Amino acid sequence: MRTQVVSRTQVGIVGAGPAGLLLSHLLSRRGIDSVVLEARSRSYVEQRVRAGVLEHPTVELLREAGLAARLDAEGLPHGGISLRFDGGDHRIDFADLVGKGITVYGQQEVVKDLIAARVDAGEPIEFEVSDVVLDGLTTDAPSIGYTAADGTRRRIECDVVAGCDGFHGVSRRAVPDVRIAEREYPFGWLGILAKAAPTHDELVYANHDNGFALYSMRSPEVTRLYLQVRPDADPAEWSDARIWDELGTRLQADGFTLNEGPFLERPSVTGMRSMVAEPMRHGRLFLAGDAAHIVPPTGAKGMNLAIADVRLLADSLADLLLHRDETGVDTYSERALRRIWRAEHFSWWMTSMLHRFDDDHANGDAFGRALQLSQLRYTVSSRAAATGLAENYVGLPHGAV
Ligand code: FAS
Ligand code: PHB
C-alpha cells in the first residue's frame, strides 16, 4: 500500500450531490471548513438529469445563501399544477390557496451552481475518489480513508463526518443499529427528456386507465415527461413512436397538444420506493438526503427534502463546532425525521392516488379504483382538500412540522 497522505478538516463530507454540496457551502458561510469527496467525475454529476421542481422554502434558502442568481434568471415560476382524470383537467391553484408557488429548475442546474460556488470559494471537492472507509465514528476524532483520483491512498481527519452519499453510498451502512422502514411500488417511471417546446405552462399529473403520465418541462425549448411502466421494464421495448403515442393517449384532454421532438438522452426507467433510515446519526456521523431517505418522485420531494435536512444539519454543526453546544446535533435526527415522514406520507399519497395498480394489488381491484377516483374528485372539488395538497406540494416552511 502506497504511503497514506493525511490531511485535516472540520467536516468531511461524502457525496457531491445537492446535500453534500449545499452543506459545504452553508458551513463555509459560518467559517467552518469542509472537504467534499465524490465518487463520480465533475462532468458526470453536472449532467445527471434528476429532479425538476424546487419547493418555495428551497428557493428561499438558495437565495439567502447567495446561490440563486441563475435560478432567478432561468428558473420557471409556477403558480399551480393540474390533475387530469375522468377526461378532464383540474387545476390546483397554489397562488390562490396558499399564496406561494414552486420553481421549475433542473437538479443538474442546482448542482452546477453549487459546484461553481465551491470552486469560486477555493473550497476543495475531490472527484473520482474510491474505496471510501469511515473510521473512528464513535470517537471525537473520526476520519475518512479513500483512494484519490491519482491513485494515492489518503485519510482526512475530521471533527465530524457528513454522509451525503445517496441511496447507494457507504454512510447508511456505517450506522450499526440502523432501522429501515420501506415500501416498494409495483411500477417505475420511464423518464423522457425531449427537445420540444412545452405547449402547456404548468405541470400535468394524469391518472389514465392505461397508467400514470407526468408532463413537465425544463426550459422554453425542453419538455420533461414520464410514463408509468412495469418496474422491470426494458427501455429498449419503448420505441420513440410508442412513447409519443402512449404519452398522447394518457395526457389527452380538450385543447391540449403535445409537441414531439428528438430525445436529449435515451429514456431510462427509475424504480419507485419509499425508505426511511433511523437514526440519522451514529456518533460523529450524520446522514442527510437520499443516504437517509427515498421518496417516490410523484410529490417532487426528493431533492427538496435533502436540502431541508442540510439546513438543519448546518445549523446543528455550527452550534457544535463554534459554540460547543451539542443540543442541535443531539436532536438533529428526531427533528429531521418529522419533516421526512411528512414528505414520505405526501409522496406515498400522491403516488397511490395517481398511479394505476394491477388487479392483483390491493389498490388495483374495483374497490381500490373507486377509492382512488373518489379521492381525486374530493381533492379538486374541496378547497380544504386542495389546500392540503397545495401546502405540501409548495413545501411547508422549514421547521414547521
Ligand atoms: P445524490 O444521490 O444526489 O448524491 C449522492 C452523491 O454521492 C452522488 O453524486 C454519488 O455519486 C456520491 N456517492 C455515492 N457513493 C459514494 C461514495 N462511496 N464515495 C463518494 N461519493 C459517493 N427527486 C425529485 O424530487 N424529482 C425527480 O424527478 C427525481 N428523479 C430522480 C431520478 C433518479 C434516477 C434518481 C436516482 C433520483 C431522483 N430523484 C428525484 C431524487 C433525487 O433528486 C434525490 O432526492 C437527490 O439527488 C438527493 O440528493 P443527495 O441526497 O445529495 O443524493
Ligand atoms: C420533473 O420535472 O422532473 C418532475 C416534476 C415533478 C415531479 C417529478 C419530476 O413530481
Side-chain angles (χ1 to χ4, degrees):
M1 170 82 71
R2 296 169 71 175
T3 52
Q4 272 205 345
V5 175
V6 180
S7 59
R8 171 143 186 75
T9 189
Q10 289 177 283
V11 183
I13 299 172
V14 187
L21 291 166
L22 181 60
L23 179 61
S24 178
H25 182 83
L26 296 180
L27 291 173
S28 168
R29 288 168 62 89
R30 296 325 215 304
I32 296 169
D33 58 68
S34 63
V35 173
V36 180
L37 301 176
E38 167 56 47
R40 298 286 192 159
S41 68
R42 174 172 178 176
S43 61
Y44 182 90
V45 298
E46 288 187 341
Q47 299 311 315
R48 187 169 45 191
V49 177
R50 282 185 170 172
V53 168
L54 302 187
E55 287 182 346
H56 182 265
T58 294
V59 173
E60 293 298 292
L61 174 57
L62 293 175
R63 283 185 181 138
E64 286 161 23
L67 292 164
R70 209 157 64 90
L71 163 58
D72 284 333
E74 299 172 21
L76 305 172
H78 284 199
I81 60 171
S82 289
L83 303 186
R84 191 165 287 175
F85 63 95
D86 277 351
D89 243 6
H90 309 272
R91 184 165 184 266
I92 306 288
D93 187 337
F94 296 153
D96 171 48
L97 292 164
V98 295
K100 298 172 193 163
I102 56 166
T103 302
V104 171
Y105 188 68
Q107 174 172 323
Q108 70 272 30
E109 304 310 324
V110 175
V111 167
K112 283 176 199 166
D113 296 341
L114 285 165
I115 289 175
R118 311 317 307 124
V119 170
D120 291 350
E123 301 271 335
I125 305 175
E126 289 205 39
F127 292 100
E128 300 182 76
V129 307
S130 56
D131 303 318
V132 168
V133 175
L134 310 182
D135 281 320
L137 296 177
T138 55
T139 73
D140 58 4
S143 66
I144 306 173
Y146 65 99
T147 300
D150 66 3
T152 54
R153 190 69 189 158
R154 298 174 181 237
R155 184 160 56 85
I156 300 180
E157 295 177 346
C158 328
D159 295 321
V160 169
V161 175
C164 301
D165 47 354
F167 181 69
H168 300 289
V170 297
S171 300
R172 184 174 65 253
R173 293 162 178 80
V175 180
D177 52 358
V178 70
R179 300 181 302 280
I180 304 290
E182 60 186 340
R183 278 274 189 291
E184 292 264 346
Y185 297 91
F187 37 72
W189 279 12
L190 182 70
I192 296 112
L193 195 66
K195 187 159 177 44
T199 54
H200 191 72
D201 54 7
E202 292 182 339
L203 275 63
V204 177
Y205 289 78
N207 175 313
H208 184 277
D209 285 342
N210 289 8
F212 170 80
L214 172 58
Y215 170 93
S216 183
M217 70 285 294
R218 284 293 178 273
S219 72
E221 297 79 32
V222 177
T223 305
R224 180 60 160 159
L225 301 135
Y226 298 90
L227 279 173
Q228 172 187 343
V229 294
R230 292 191 335 274
D232 60 351
D234 177 357
E237 292 169 3
W238 285 84
S239 68
D240 296 18
R242 183 186 176 198
I243 288 172
W244 287 116
D245 184 47
E246 192 59 24
L247 283 166
T249 300
R250 296 188 194 182
L251 290 167
Q252 197 282 324
D254 292 347
F256 181 83
T257 58
L258 192 59
N259 275 342
E260 299 186 10
F263 295 154
L264 294 171
E265 60 174 34
R266 280 317 305 159
S268 59
V269 175
T270 301
M272 304 272 274
R273 74 171 68 239
S274 300
M275 185 281 291
V276 178
E278 299 186 30
M280 294 167 64
R281 175 191 188 179
H282 173 58
R284 286 295 179 102
L285 169 66
F286 297 87
L287 305 182
D290 277 17
H293 44 75
I294 296 290
V295 287
T298 327
K301 290 294 154 215
M303 177 174 60
N304 293 293
L305 206 43
I307 286 172
D309 288 350
V310 161
R311 176 183 209 147
L312 213 50
L313 184 55
D315 289 344
S316 305
L317 294 182
D319 289 347
L320 174 72
L321 298 175
L322 301 178
H323 312 298
R324 295 276 164 248
D325 175 352
E326 301 199 11
T327 316
V329 292
D330 286 349
T331 58
Y332 163 70
S333 182
E334 176 220 336
R335 287 180 296 141
L337 284 163
R338 279 207 290 272
R339 186 180 186 89
I340 289 161
W341 277 109
R342 172 84 308 271
E344 289 285 346
H345 180 274
F346 178 68
S347 304
W348 163 83
W349 177 73
M350 287 282 279
T351 301
S352 306
M353 181 169 69
L354 288 161
H355 288 74
R356 293 310 310 276
F357 292 78
D358 292 337
D359 299 351
D360 61 357
H361 187 281
N363 292 18
D365 61 7
F367 189 80
R369 180 67 180 151
L371 283 181
Q372 202 179 55
L373 285 173
S374 168
Q375 180 67 50
L376 282 163
R377 290 167 184 155
Y378 172 62
T379 298
V380 301
S381 59
S382 153
R383 186 176 178 86
T387 302
L389 188 157
E391 69 174 359
N392 280 279
Y393 196 96
V394 304
L396 296 167
H398 287 159
V401 289

